[in-house]
Amino acid sequence: MDIQEDIPTLDSLKNPNNLSLEVEDVEDSAPQPPVETHLEYKKRLNKKVSEFTEEEKKEYNRLSQNKKRKEVKFKEAEEKKEEDIKADNKKSTDLYNQLFVLKKKFPEHLDDIHINKEMNVDTLNEKKDLIMKIITQKNSDAIIFETLLLGCRTIERGLNYAEIQALDGYAENVDEAKDDIIPILKEMIDLGEIDTSMLTPQLRLMIVMSSVAVKTVEKNNDKKKNEVIAEALDTS
């Protein structure tokens, strides 16, 4: 069986609709000439501005405005760059001052951490994270003990309100055993059994203030009880 191939005719080749050839766009990789400035344009024309035609004046003014816009953009970029540098320097100074105070306050724990005024913001932030972690570790045992004590007082007072005296004096006894409990807490922290990462300064302050509030309530309640007893004795 003969295989008949379609042979294009001269007429079909003349018809652009029948062409199957694809023309690829080729990007011109040649370097572009530099944009002419208004001064270069004037020099090229070799005429005074007063001698320009209307079209030449328009082109001259356009090039002049382009130069001004570029100068404004460059000035704005330089000013922003300068402002950013000043802002970074201020952040670095503030961070350095904070870390300097912390090192002075906790010298026995932060001696090995070195800081200087030449460090950038990122480096100082890393130093700050490390310092805050060390400080948190240092005070975590005392804060956790305060948390335990707060829980003991809450349980004790809750039972007292229910007129159950089984744990009366429990918080006081736990407080007296502080010297025995603290080393155990330290060991549990070192072993990772107690997570101290959540003990932020805000949380530590809240725990201490809550403990103080409970102690104040206890003192006021005891004071009222004593006043009631004294009044009862006076009337008897």
Side-chain angles (χ1 to χ4, degrees), residues 47-207:
K47 291 193 295 185
K48 296 179 180 179
V49 176
S50 58
E51 298 172 350
F52 284 180
T53 64
E54 288 300 320
E55 290 299 322
E56 289 171 343
K57 284 181 181 179
K58 286 182 181 179
E59 180 63 12
Y60 177 83
N61 291 333
R62 186 186 71 80
L63 293 174
S64 178
Q65 290 300 320
N66 282 344
K67 184 175 185 299
K68 289 179 181 178
R69 281 194 291 269
K70 288 180 180 179
E71 288 175 348
V72 170
K73 287 182 179 179
F74 178 79
K75 184 179 179 181
E76 289 175 350
E78 288 296 310
E79 288 176 352
K80 186 178 184 305
K81 183 179 178 181
E82 188 175 346
E83 288 175 1
D84 291 342
I85 291 173
K86 287 181 180 178
D88 284 344
N89 288 339
K90 187 178 184 306
K91 287 180 182 178
S92 298
T93 301
D94 291 344
L95 269 173
Y96 174 82
N97 291 337
Q98 291 175 17
L99 301 186
F100 182 83
V101 171
L102 288 173
K103 280 178 64 67
K104 289 293 183 182
K105 188 174 180 180
F106 305 100
E108 68 278 12
H109 298 280
L110 305 178
D111 268 348
D112 293 335
I113 298 180
H114 303 289
I115 60 171
N116 62 66
K117 295 180 179 179
E118 303 303 320
M119 291 179 175
N120 58 38
V121 174
D122 292 337
T123 302
L124 289 172
N125 272 322
E126 291 175 0
K127 299 281 185 178
K128 181 179 179 180
D129 290 341
L130 179 59
I131 286 174
M132 294 308 297
K133 184 176 180 180
I134 292 173
I135 293 174
T136 299
Q137 287 285 116
K138 172 185 177 296
N139 296 284
S140 57
D141 52 350
I143 297 300
I144 291 171
F145 179 79
E146 287 294 331
T147 306
L148 291 175
L149 203 57
L150 181 60
C152 294
R153 288 195 175 96
T154 303
I155 293 171
E156 182 182 344
R157 288 299 170 182
L159 292 175
N160 287 345
Y161 289 134
E163 297 184 353
I164 300 174
Q165 309 298 323
L167 285 178
D168 208 24
Y170 179 48
E172 184 179 352
N173 292 334
V174 170
D175 196 18
E176 290 176 356
K178 181 177 181 178
D179 292 340
D180 296 325
I181 296 174
I182 287 290
I184 298 172
L185 292 176
K186 286 182 179 179
E187 185 177 352
M188 293 176 70
I189 292 169
D190 291 340
L191 293 173
E193 296 179 9
I194 297 178
D195 183 14
T196 60
S197 60
M198 73 291 188
L199 293 178
T200 60
Q202 294 86 350
L203 180 59
R204 298 201 303 271
L205 177 61
M206 184 186 70
I207 292 171

Side-chain angles (χ1 to χ4, degrees), residues 9-20:
T9 64
L10 182 62
D11 291 335
S12 65
L13 291 175
K14 290 180 180 179
N15 186 355
N17 295 326
N18 293 331
L19 295 177
S20 60

